[in-house]
Amino acid sequence: MQLQSIHDCSGVDWQAVADILKCVGMAYYAPEVHAKAFTASHTTVFIYDAERLIGFGRTISDGAYQAAIYDCAVLPEYQGQKIGAMIMRSLLDAVAGCNVILYAAPGKEGFYRKQGFSNMRTGMAKFVKAEAMREKGFTE
């Protein structure tokens, strides 16, 4: 593997971003929607194996004391090789000193616990596609 970590959005294949999110069972949108979300984010990281995009993540933050991580995904054939942890470390380093929240795909909570996250008792959400998120196990 020839891993490379890129922190800007120039040259990103946004269709690949949508395809990876779809492949791992996460919410995905039209490529231009992902481009807008990532370019408006506080921090982005894209991991390539040679020229192939294999994983990514982003944070939104005020840069002072609050942050949230979104769209952290790694292609299934690259999972279990510490690439997700590398993405998380890069994102967390960029918002050091901030409280950080995220929501994990059901079944992936263990990965985030290894990154230092804990379950919240008071977390709540209002989703645009509320029924779909309930069916996927994100809400009660």
Side-chain angles (χ1 to χ4, degrees):
M1 273 191 302
Q2 295 179 333
L3 297 183
Q4 182 179 8
S5 178
I6 305 293
H7 295 272
D8 69 53
C9 295
S10 60
V12 172
D13 177 350
W14 299 108
Q15 183 62 59
V17 169
D19 292 344
I20 291 170
L21 289 168
K22 181 179 181 181
C23 178
V24 300
M26 292 173 62
Y28 63 94
Y29 302 92
E32 60 273 9
V33 175
H34 290 298
K36 181 178 181 180
F38 275 79
T39 56
S41 295
H42 179 276
T43 306
T44 59
V45 61
F46 301 91
I47 306 297
Y48 291 85
D49 181 5
E51 301 294 318
R52 183 181 185 200
L53 180 63
I54 63 166
F56 46 79
R58 66 188 183 96
T59 62
I60 58 174
S61 179
D62 56 25
Y65 55 87
Q66 298 294 349
I69 292 177
Y70 291 95
D71 300 326
C72 187
V74 175
L75 280 170
E77 60 266 34
Y78 287 89
Q79 292 178 11
Q81 299 178 46
K82 308 264 186 228
I83 294 165
M86 183 170 78
I87 293 168
M88 290 298 296
R89 179 57 31 224
S90 181
L91 295 173
L92 290 169
D93 286 351
V95 293
C98 288
N99 297 308
V100 182
I101 61 169
L102 59 78
Y103 58 92
K108 298 294 185 182
E109 298 88 350
F111 168 77
Y112 293 105
R113 281 190 195 98
K114 289 178 184 175
Q115 310 310 311
F117 287 83
S118 302
N119 288 345
M120 291 177 57
R121 291 188 204 165
T122 60
M124 300 184 79
K126 181 178 179 186
F127 291 107
V128 173
K129 297 179 181 179
E131 184 58 32
M133 295 305 276
R134 192 170 11 267
E135 289 172 5
K136 291 180 180 183
F138 283 96
T139 57
E140 299 172 345

